[in-house]
Amino acid sequence: QKAVAPAPIVPGKEDKTVEFFRHLYKTRTTSIAGASKEIHPAILALGLQMSNYTICGSCARLVATLQAFKRVIESYTTPPGNSLTRHLTSHVLSPQIDFLTSCRPISISMGNAIRWLKLEISKVDVDTPESEAKENLCNAIDVFLRERVTFADQIIAQSTADKIKDGDVIMTYAKSSIVQRSLVQAHNAGKKFKVIVVDSRPLHEGKHLATALVGLGMDVKYCLLNGLSHNIQDVTKVLLGAHAMMSNGRLFSRVGTALVAMEANEADKPVIVLCETIKFTERVALDSFVHNEIAPADELVIPGGALTNWENMKKLQLCNPMFDVTPAEYIQMIITESGNVPPTSVPVLHRLGNESQG
Amino acid sequence: MPSVQTGYAPNLKVFKQSLKTAPLESSIEYLISLLKRRQIKNSRPCAIATAELLRQVVAKSRWTDVGKLIARIQDVGQRLIEAQPREMAVGNIVRRVLGMVRDEANEDRTEDGSDTASSIGSPKRQHSHTELTSTQGPPPSSLRFSSTTEGSDLSEVNGDDVFGGRSTPSGRPPLMASHTSYAVVNGVPVQQSMFNLLSATPSPNATPSGPSGTNSPHGNHPLHATTLAERMIITSKDLRAEVINGIEEILDELEQVDDQIAAYAQEHIHSNEIILTHSSSVSVYKFLLKAAEKRKFTVIVAESYPNDHEETHLAAMGKMKDPESEEDGEGVYLKSLQAAGITVILMTDASVFAIMSRVNKVILATHAVIANGGLIAAAGARLIAKAAKVHRTPVIVVSGVYKLSPEYPFEFESLIEYGDPGNIVGYHDGTLVDNLEVDNPVYDYVPPDLVDLYITNLGAHAPSYLYRIVADHYKTEDINFHKPELQF
């Protein structure tokens, strides 16, 4: 066996961050140790679930966050001498949000929802009795979730399922809840089609999707990115989920999505993005460096594999970005609950969505 | 764990050792089974094993004339190729040896022919002789720069009808003018084989004048049979030695090829670059190491999951096996890139598009290069090359000439090999194994328009120029030697 080379222990740990992502590195909170006592237990649990990917995917995280905030609001009592409007956001919600951020950077949809929630709180009349205000807020959250997520998903899934025809070969990348839902809905409607799930390391999210679809008796093929080029020719449609849609029409999604869209575009296959408008943002992105999330490098290490103790190898860096940005020209259509639009219409829809809220 | 295996599992080294003692036929069978069981795999070990085996074939087989030798090599070559058709290096080496045998034989014959011809005063032969020597004047290696007419000349002369379709008139001097010399040349191989038969009973004085007289169609210039017979014996011996020499040259080339390629490294890498490479390849590794002697730069490695990631990770940890070292076990690793001052960033294949806009150059290794300038490389290479194209990042392919194959398949899918689906979905995934269709290609075909530059041991070339290097290295009649139905 390889005698473990006596790696010289570097005094003062070597910087293992990759230069062009350096601004994005954040250490993740992975335990409740050291968490401030004002963090609500529901938030503590949620934070840990997010940091170990038990709750993963921007929609799931959005729903879970708002549900947890509901619990926070329910257990909130305004301290004497304060009003709910002024106190809740800054003294109660902010630490919760900070804790969630420290577990995993909050997603764009979560950001949108939190901004909306803060606005709702600020609109609460100072004269409203506390119990009534709290009830109103919880109701508002329920309505928000129903409108922006539940119904939106239903509409998108229906509209996507309608577009799937008998004999289609649908390719999708990693796992998106809305893509899964659409495929299942089409399958339940009796459509005969095949699904190719493309996946990648280290999360292997696509395997969960493939497992779920196979469980329903669907015809599923599973491959990793190395098989993408070999399968793209058989495909008739590519369905992608989104983490966010940027205002310049670019898709911000799980790393590797851009490769799938690029290959599909090269092979002249339509690329369709399924995305609720809550994931739209006014931010723009040209590359995957400015805004991204860097997951812990240790996730790339295969247990027992060659990379064990990689930290001891000088000048070796492991880089594990979570997202990439797909150019707008690869995307033919975005299916949202407000209709099917081209990528150029993202800022318009985003504005309409915000106006309806305001 | 691998160190335990190496002692027992047959590999290139075991094969090389067995070559020394085992009889020829069993060596051939051994290599065939090694190739089939993938115990020798990847271009370089396959090429070396093939060359070593062919050296034994030339040295040990009984052959009395060039035609028989060529037929023998073709036969062995065909069996090797059929054993593992996707290891194209095997076929390449066989073709190069064939081409070399033809060259050597031709060289000998032209010398003989011209000697006799000039002694009887044929101006045409003299002319073609000088022409030949002048073209072969500074041969960098005896395999290159020979015109195809010589080959056709030879095959026809040998009565080897396999290439019968090749028309002689192209490039040949007008038949009438060279009539006399042609007759002499035509007579030689017949005599050669006969003389070799007779040489066992050393009485060259009495018999040969008869056949030489009758064989010459005109019979008006009797040959000096004695001297010719002696020369034939000598040339046959020489030919064997020369072919073996040539094969050793090929083996030398295989040994040095990575270093020769690396010599060009500093022309292509400037300081402070970010270079993306894929999988782990000794050629690329040495190329980067050489460049690192003078400049500092960053290398991003895409790990090539799920087939080559283990090797890639080992290489990133500074444990790249040195192919030169014959020993197994410890201390056989190349210097690590990090020790040479390079920062290595390891990433998943999925991140390629995300970071491509910061990459200055993509350097790809290859499994085989085909004549149109496209290449077969580890799966995922196509995505990387395409992503580079989209970002206008230059793609450089580093490859030895021995990987350059004259084959041009009509369907590229036929070149792709599929690996173990268990690497993707294993039995620990339970029922998924039964119900899920899984795809695990090992190789990708990268079309030539995605490649900007090839760097071989001969220098840097555009993909569109590769066909020319193919023409320099292989003879047209050898290209499809293993597929009789395609010979024309």
Side-chain angles (χ1 to χ4, degrees):
Chain A
Q1 282 301 336
K2 275 157 211 132
V4 180
I9 310 299
V10 199
K13 241 184 169 183
E14 189 192 347
D15 185 12
K16 288 289 186 189
T17 56
V18 175
E19 196 192 352
F20 37 77
F21 283 122
R22 196 154 287 157
H23 59 288
L24 294 169
Y25 279 90
K26 291 195 182 70
T27 45
R28 277 192 190 174
T29 309
T30 48
S31 78
I32 55 171
S36 144
K37 65 175 172 22
E38 58 198 355
I39 309 295
H40 193 277
I43 299 289
L44 284 177
L46 175 63
L48 297 191
Q49 282 171 323
M50 284 208 273
S51 85
N52 65 15
Y53 306 112
T54 312
I55 294 181
C56 187
S58 72
C59 240
R61 287 167 70 198
L62 161 72
V63 174
T65 308
L66 284 183
Q67 298 288 8
F69 282 160
K70 233 168 84 181
R71 301 269 302 279
V72 173
I73 292 170
E74 278 163 3
S75 62
Y76 169 79
T77 40
T78 319
N82 274 310
S83 72
L84 180 139
T85 317
R86 300 187 183 237
H87 185 260
L88 179 60
T89 305
S90 56
H91 290 86
V92 178
L93 276 188
S94 290
Q96 320 286 340
I97 294 166
D98 288 345
F99 178 76
L100 286 182
T101 314
S102 78
C103 291
R104 208 187 140 184
I106 55 170
S107 72
I108 282 175
S109 56
M110 281 162 72
N112 283 343
I114 288 169
R115 206 169 309 126
W116 163 83
L117 182 60
K118 285 179 176 171
L119 187 73
E120 282 300 296
I121 293 172
S122 71
K123 284 192 293 192
V124 173
D125 195 347
V126 198
D127 300 331
T128 324
E130 187 188 290
S131 58
E132 199 190 318
K134 275 159 64 179
E135 206 184 315
N136 286 346
L137 278 178
C138 290
N139 283 340
I141 289 177
D142 284 338
V143 170
F144 181 85
L145 283 179
R146 212 178 307 138
E147 271 182 10
R148 303 298 299 263
V149 181
T150 317
F151 286 150
D153 278 0
Q154 272 177 24
I155 295 168
I156 295 173
Q158 187 56 50
S159 152
T160 312
D162 288 345
K163 290 187 172 51
I164 296 175
K165 298 189 193 72
D166 280 351
D168 262 351
V169 180
I170 311 285
M171 179 180 270
T172 180
Y173 180 73
K175 178 177 183 291
S176 154
S177 54
I178 183 65
V179 169
Q180 177 175 354
R181 193 170 168 170
S182 308
L183 293 174
V184 170
Q185 190 151 345
H187 177 72
N188 290 342
K191 306 251 173 89
K192 297 271 169 281
F193 59 97
K194 182 178 175 168
V195 181
I196 300 179
V197 180
V198 185
D199 204 359
S200 78
R201 268 221 327 142
L203 289 178
H204 289 299
E205 293 166 293
K207 207 176 250 177
H208 302 301
L209 175 63
T211 314
L213 296 182
V214 161
L216 294 172
M218 291 169 71
D219 184 4
V220 182
K221 186 174 189 175
Y222 178 75
C223 68
L224 299 183
L225 273 173
N226 64 340
L228 172 60
S229 313
H230 299 265
N231 287 307
I232 195 74
Q233 287 305 332
D234 310 330
V235 168
T236 54
K237 285 183 187 77
V238 178
L239 297 185
L240 297 175
H243 178 87
M245 284 303 305
M246 297 298 183
S247 263
N248 55 349
R250 295 195 170 207
L251 165 66
F252 190 73
S253 192
R254 179 70 69 240
V255 66
T257 306
L259 287 171
V260 176
M262 175 189 77
E263 274 298 283
N265 190 59
E266 164 85 359
D268 267 340
K269 311 292 178 189
V271 177
I272 301 165
V273 176
L274 314 187
C275 183
E276 300 89 346
T277 50
I278 186 65
K279 294 177 179 175
F280 285 22
T281 171
E282 75 287 344
R283 301 170 75 153
V284 291
L286 291 172
D287 57 31
S288 318
F289 297 104
V290 180
H291 179 77
N292 206 329
E293 180 183 340
I294 303 294
D298 285 323
E299 284 172 13
L300 290 182
V301 179
I302 299 165
L307 287 177
T308 322
N309 295 329
W310 67 275
E311 298 89 347
N312 295 339
M313 187 73 194
K314 270 191 187 177
K315 285 187 167 248
L316 175 65
Q317 301 168 353
L318 264 58
C319 187
N320 187 13
M322 294 283 286
F323 300 107
D324 65 10
V325 173
T326 306
E329 59 266 29
Y330 294 160
I331 299 164
Q332 269 69 44
M333 180 163 68
I334 305 165
I335 300 183
T336 74
E337 72 269 27
S338 321
N340 309 332
V341 295
T344 42
S345 302
V346 170
V348 182
L349 271 188
H350 179 64
R351 234 177 83 179
L352 288 175
N354 278 352
E355 274 167 13
S356 72
Q357 268 174 31
Chain B
M1 269 186 349
S3 55
V4 182
Q5 270 189 346
T6 40
Y8 301 94
N11 55 16
L12 180 60
K13 191 185 140 208
V14 176
F15 172 71
K16 271 191 194 167
Q17 268 167 0
S18 80
L19 262 185
K20 287 174 195 148
T21 49
L24 181 59
E25 193 53 36
S26 69
S27 293
I28 298 173
E29 285 301 330
Y30 189 35
L31 180 56
I32 288 175
S33 60
L34 285 179
L35 286 173
K36 279 187 179 164
R37 292 195 299 246
R38 317 290 332 247
Q39 278 161 335
I40 292 185
K41 58 176 185 177
N42 293 340
S43 303
R44 217 178 104 101
C46 283
I48 292 175
T50 311
E52 295 272 4
L53 181 71
L54 288 181
R55 178 163 67 178
Q56 297 296 318
V57 169
V58 175
K60 285 189 186 164
S61 334
R62 303 162 123 265
W63 48 275
T64 43
D65 66 47
V66 185
K68 287 213 179 92
L69 176 63
I70 289 179
R72 178 79 176 129
I73 297 176
Q74 280 178 335
D75 172 56
V76 174
Q78 181 166 7
R79 287 162 65 194
L80 292 181
I81 290 174
E82 278 166 6
Q84 198 52 262
R86 292 190 186 99
E87 290 287 4
M88 292 163 94
V90 172
N92 298 346
I93 295 296
V94 174
R95 289 187 189 99
R96 275 180 65 169
V97 172
L98 281 174
M100 183 182 61
V101 173
R102 289 178 203 276
D103 272 344
E104 296 289 354
N106 214 46
E107 225 168 73
D108 288 341
R109 188 160 312 108
T110 39
E111 270 165 34
D112 297 334
S114 58
D115 282 357
T116 19
S118 58
S119 68
I120 54 163
S122 161
K124 199 67 205 177
R125 176 46 63 180
Q126 245 169 352
H127 168 66
S128 72
H129 174 55
T130 47
E131 187 180 75
L132 275 174
T133 42
S134 69
T135 50
Q136 292 182 341
S141 115
S142 52
L143 328 172
R144 289 168 206 150
F145 308 121
S146 48
S147 69
T148 47
T149 42
E150 291 165 58
S152 69
D153 194 350
L154 182 73
S155 59
E156 186 187 291
V157 164
N158 283 336
D160 212 354
D161 240 336
V162 197
F163 317 110
R166 276 194 57 81
S167 60
T168 35
S170 62
R172 178 183 282 284
L175 207 57
M176 284 314 289
S178 64
H179 199 174
T180 43
S181 63
Y182 184 55
V184 174
V185 176
N186 209 2
V188 168
V190 183
Q191 288 168 344
Q192 189 186 8
S193 58
M194 289 195 75
F195 280 138
N196 284 339
L197 286 174
L198 293 169
S199 64
T201 52
S203 58
N205 260 344
T207 30
S209 55
S212 73
T214 47
N215 253 355
S216 173
H218 302 278
N220 50 359
H221 34 34
L223 297 162
H224 301 288
T226 337
T227 50
L228 191 59
E230 276 164 4
R231 189 182 292 136
M232 285 297 96
I233 296 164
I234 295 163
T235 42
S236 161
K237 273 181 190 158
D238 283 354
L239 188 60
R240 194 189 290 264
E242 267 175 45
V243 171
I244 290 177
N245 267 343
I247 296 179
E248 265 156 16
E249 254 173 55
I250 294 181
L251 280 166
D252 282 348
E253 184 195 316
L254 289 176
E255 211 159 87
Q256 296 161 1
V257 66
D258 290 335
D259 297 313
Q260 286 172 347
I261 297 172
Y264 299 99
Q266 282 161 10
E267 291 174 30
H268 298 282
I269 296 176
H270 62 74
S271 43
N272 226 0
E273 260 191 317
I274 297 178
I275 288 172
L276 176 70
T277 176
H278 179 234
S279 185
S280 65
S281 143
V282 178
S283 307
V284 174
Y285 205 81
K286 285 194 169 174
F287 191 80
L288 296 173
L289 273 180
K290 187 78 185 170
E293 285 174 10
K294 293 257 172 72
R295 356 225 117 134
K296 296 281 162 269
F297 51 96
T298 304
V299 174
I300 300 177
V301 182
E303 62 182 0
S304 181
Y305 190 81
N307 296 310
D308 297 327
H309 65 284
E310 200 64 36
E311 287 83 357
T312 313
H313 290 174
L314 279 172
M317 292 293 281
K319 288 182 185 141
M320 170 74 99
K321 272 249 167 71
D322 187 353
E324 306 294 317
S325 73
E326 295 276 314
E327 304 103 75
D328 300 310
E330 307 294 320
V332 290
Y333 302 123
L334 288 172
K335 186 182 180 187
S336 75
L337 290 176
Q338 290 94 332
I342 301 175
T343 306
V344 178
I345 305 172
L346 191 73
M347 285 187 155
T348 58
D349 294 7
S351 326
V352 164
F353 197 93
I355 48 105
M356 190 56 87
S357 58
R358 285 298 292 269
V359 173
N360 295 94
K361 276 187 189 84
V362 177
I363 298 186
L364 289 180
T366 163
H367 177 70
V369 181
I370 49 183
N372 67 342
L375 67 138
I376 309 295
R382 202 197 116 86
L383 276 183
I384 293 178
K386 178 73 191 150
K389 190 83 184 170
V390 167
H391 287 90
R392 303 283 191 273
T393 309
V395 177
I396 295 177
V397 175
V398 164
S399 161
V401 161
Y402 72 95
K403 288 183 184 173
L404 185 57
S405 173
E407 283 190 69
Y408 184 81
F410 297 103
E411 219 227 325
F412 297 113
E413 225 12 66
S414 67
L415 297 171
I416 305 303
E417 190 171 320
Y418 285 81
D420 177 12
N423 288 346
I424 294 181
V425 176
Y427 281 102
H428 51 84
D429 290 308
T431 52
L432 220 47
V433 176
D434 298 326
N435 302 322
L436 197 59
E437 189 183 345
V438 176
D439 217 5
N440 181 16
V442 178
Y443 299 124
D444 254 354
Y445 167 70
V446 183
D449 55 318
L450 298 183
V451 180
D452 292 279
L453 199 65
Y454 276 94
I455 299 179
T456 69
N457 39 331
L458 302 179
H461 324 280
S464 54
Y465 181 73
L466 286 186
Y467 82 98
R468 201 43 244 171
I469 300 177
V470 167
D472 285 345
H473 280 75
Y474 308 103
K475 300 226 175 292
T476 342
E477 58 267 37
D478 292 330
I479 288 177
N480 285 318
F481 77 90
H482 60 296
K483 289 185 243 168
E485 73 278 6
L486 283 180
Q487 277 162 9
F488 47 85

